[in-house]
């Protein structure tokens, strides 16, 4: 049996990074940049005032104090969006607004709060240094600079930066489309009455939401019965439609566990048992160059295996380089033992107390008890064979 780290590494090595596409600035949030972005313009494009105030020659107001003010004559008012008409000579100033273009002759701005306007003159009560309260051409970004490199995730600041560079379109990696299939004769979709022996199909909806959360585009392919021919048909259709396929159920050792057979028939199965709890039986393989994840049927196992394996894989496909959630240290608030030969990903509530994370498990941890995840905001990682007491430290990570 492979460890989580071994299995994940093997799996990630075989995951393709998707090709690129061009996207408009309003449709690229959350995508990963696939090109270098160079500034075609300076930011800011001209010297401008950082304050509402008066543009002065700093030598004119040298030594100015509250008790010993300087009086200057105001030649014009410069609003943001307009070019100055006058130049500022000795003994003169221009009233200027934040973001307005600096007039020739002036080299600093005195803020309005330390001035008093009287007719067409202004009394200045404080001196300023040369360049004070001025934002210079190209001080944020110089024309020609490389502003972002491939691999950068386009968040709101990056999109704002694109706009300030007059960049209306970028080359990004495609987001993966992901076909989702639940398997099992017992599964009933929402809205239909439950017949004896049947249960609700919960995994398909959970996987759908997980794909969305991981930045993928889910495609619902419905429920596959425990029938090899029909499952094969649905697999083929899924692979034709999507960049990846995720299934739930049918990967254990039961008589009706046919996902592995179909996967082996249509492509190549890479491994199917990982030393972890929940989620030991799982299948991973490739059909037509597209990754296929056979998640376990138990609802908690399905969600946890997605979190540990499928999420990083979908992120790699989308061009991300930072694939795993950060591991943090947390202090146990309860005793925990793991007699199993497999690492246990227990569902937990992580809270911060005095600069440290405290972990409390979320009650019964059976792999069918969805509530253990509904209550949790994180997973704590309990090594195989560990007997831990309240106060001991464990590795953990958040689920968001
Ligand atoms: P399997 O691996 O197919 O034997 O499924 C293991 C357990 O998970 C069984 O109790 C199934 O009924 C349950 N299960 C499988 N698929 C789903 C699903 N989509 N939603 C809820 N429970 C499921
Ligand atoms: Mg089944």
């Amino acid at each position: 049996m492979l460890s989580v780290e071994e299995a994940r590494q093997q799996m990630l090595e075989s995951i393709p990074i998707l090709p690129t596409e061009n996207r408009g600035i309003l449709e690229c949030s959350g995508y990963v940049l696939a090109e270098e972005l160079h500034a075609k313009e300076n930011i800011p494009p001209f010297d401008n005032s950082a304050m509402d105030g008066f543009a002065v020659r700093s030598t004119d107001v040298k030594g100015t104090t509250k008790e010993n003010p300087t009086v200057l004559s105001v030649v014009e008012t410069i609003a943001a969006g307009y070019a100055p008409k006058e130049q500022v000579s000795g003994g003169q100033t221009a009233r200027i607004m934040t973001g307005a273009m600096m007039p020739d002759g002036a080299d600093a701005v005195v803020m309005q709060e330390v001035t008093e306007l009287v007719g067409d003159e202004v009394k200045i009560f404080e001196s300023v240094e040369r360049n004070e309260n001025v934002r210079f051409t190209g001080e944020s970004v110089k024309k020609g600079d490389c502003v972002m490199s491939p691999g950068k995730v386009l968040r709101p600041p990056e999109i704002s930066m694109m706009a300030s560079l007059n960049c209306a379109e970028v080359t990004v990696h495609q987001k993966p489309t992901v076909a989702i299939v639940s398997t099992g004769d017992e599964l009933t979709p929402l809205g239909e009455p439950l017949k004896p022996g049947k249960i609700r199909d919960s995994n398909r909806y959970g996987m759908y939401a997980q794909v969305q959360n991981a930045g993928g585009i889910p495609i619902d392919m419905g429920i596959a019965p425990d029938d090899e021919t029909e499952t094969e048909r649905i697999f083929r259709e899924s692979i034709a439609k999507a960049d990846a396929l995720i299934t739930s159920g049918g990967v254990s050792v039961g008589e009706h566990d046919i996902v592995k057979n179909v996967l082996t028939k249509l492509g190549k199965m890479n491994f199917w048992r990982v030393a972890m709890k929940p989620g030991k039986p799982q299948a991973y393989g490739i059909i037509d160059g597209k990754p296929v994840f056979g998640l376990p049927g138990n609802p908690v196992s399905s969600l946890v295996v997605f979190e540990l394996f499928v999420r990083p894989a979908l992120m790699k496909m989308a061009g991300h380089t930072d694939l795993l959630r950060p591991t943090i240290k947390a202090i146990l608030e309860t005793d925990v033992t793991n007699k199993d030969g497999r690492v246990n990903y227990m569902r937990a509530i992580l809270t911060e107390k005095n600069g440290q994370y405290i972990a409390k498990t979320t009650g019964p941890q059976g792999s069918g008890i969805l509530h253990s995840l509904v209550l949790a905001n994180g997973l704590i990682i309990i090594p195989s064979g560990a007997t831990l007491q309240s106060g001991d430290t464990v590795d953990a990570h958040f689920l968001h």
Side-chain angles (χ1 to χ4, degrees), residues 183-184 186 226 249-250 257:
T183 73
E186 75 277 34
D226 289 322
D257 292 332

Side-chain angles (χ1 to χ4, degrees), residues 14-285:
S14 68
I15 294 291
I17 297 171
L18 292 179
T20 61
E21 63 184 357
N22 288 346
R23 293 196 81 85
I25 186 165
L26 294 179
E27 280 83 41
C28 66
S29 177
Y31 282 78
V32 180
L33 192 64
E35 61 174 337
E36 277 192 353
L37 277 194
H38 291 269
K40 291 186 226 105
E41 295 172 2
N42 281 309
I43 311 177
F46 50 84
D47 294 355
N48 68 89
S49 177
M51 294 274 180
D52 291 327
F54 290 86
V56 299
R57 302 160 80 96
S58 55
T59 47
D60 276 2
V61 295
K62 196 160 192 257
T64 297
T65 60
K66 201 164 189 322
E67 294 71 36
N68 185 21
T70 300
V71 177
L72 299 173
S73 75
V74 181
V75 295
E76 67 170 327
T77 295
I78 313 164
Y82 299 92
K85 293 192 189 77
E86 309 291 336
Q87 98 152 38
V88 173
S89 306
Q92 293 182 328
T93 183
R95 191 162 185 209
I96 194 164
M97 306 304 157
T98 305
M101 197 169 186
M102 285 293 284
D104 284 343
D107 63 9
V109 173
V110 178
M111 64 175 176
Q112 189 161 307
E113 289 84 339
V114 295
T115 65
E116 191 187 324
L117 190 61
V118 188
D120 54 9
E121 288 187 335
V122 65
K123 260 188 194 168
I124 309 270
F125 296 106
E126 262 183 28
S127 66
V128 276
E129 298 295 323
R130 193 173 129 79
N131 297 343
E132 207 172 321
N133 299 328
V134 180
R135 304 186 288 212
F136 288 96
T137 308
E139 87 174 18
S140 169
V141 174
K142 282 202 179 43
K143 190 174 170 178
D145 278 358
C146 173
V147 184
M148 291 179 231
S149 302
K152 190 90 178 108
V153 182
L154 301 177
R155 305 166 305 163
E158 285 75 23
I159 287 167
S160 204
M161 174 65 89
M162 280 171 59
S164 61
L165 295 170
N166 192 28
C167 170
E169 200 183 76
V170 276
T171 308
V172 294
H173 288 282
Q174 291 169 12
K175 286 186 174 184
T177 51
V178 184
I180 294 167
V181 179
S182 278
T183 73
D185 283 348
E186 75 277 34
L187 302 179
T188 308
L190 306 196
E192 286 179 20
L194 277 184
K195 298 202 182 105
K198 308 284 182 186
I199 59 164
R200 291 281 169 217
D201 172 13
S202 65
N203 294 352
R204 192 155 46 96
Y205 304 90
M207 292 188 289
Y208 195 99
Q210 282 187 305
V211 168
Q212 287 177 316
N213 274 350
I217 302 162
I219 303 173
D220 181 9
M221 297 299 293
I223 299 169
D226 289 322
D227 170 80
E228 220 162 301
T229 314
E230 181 58 4
T231 302
E232 187 183 323
R233 189 192 65 73
I234 294 174
F235 272 38
R236 285 185 193 278
E237 199 185 322
S238 299
I239 289 297
K241 268 194 186 158
D243 298 313
L245 166 62
I246 307 176
T247 67
S248 98
V251 288
S252 199
V253 290
E255 210 178 303
H256 298 292
D257 292 332
I258 54 183
V259 166
K260 287 176 295 177
N261 296 351
V262 176
L263 179 52
T264 308
K265 182 171 175 202
L266 298 183
K268 182 172 174 282
M269 188 164 71
N270 292 21
F271 60 79
W272 70 280
R273 271 149 53 98
V274 178
M276 63 180 285
K277 190 181 164 183
K280 175 171 71 174
Q282 48 180 284
Y284 168 65

Side-chain angles (χ1 to χ4, degrees), residues 5 327 343-346 379-383 388 394-397:
E5 289 73 21
T327 301
V343 56
N344 191 345
Y345 287 82
M346 292 182 95
L379 296 173
I380 55 175
I381 303 166
I382 311 300
L388 301 173
V394 289
D395 283 345
H397 64 75

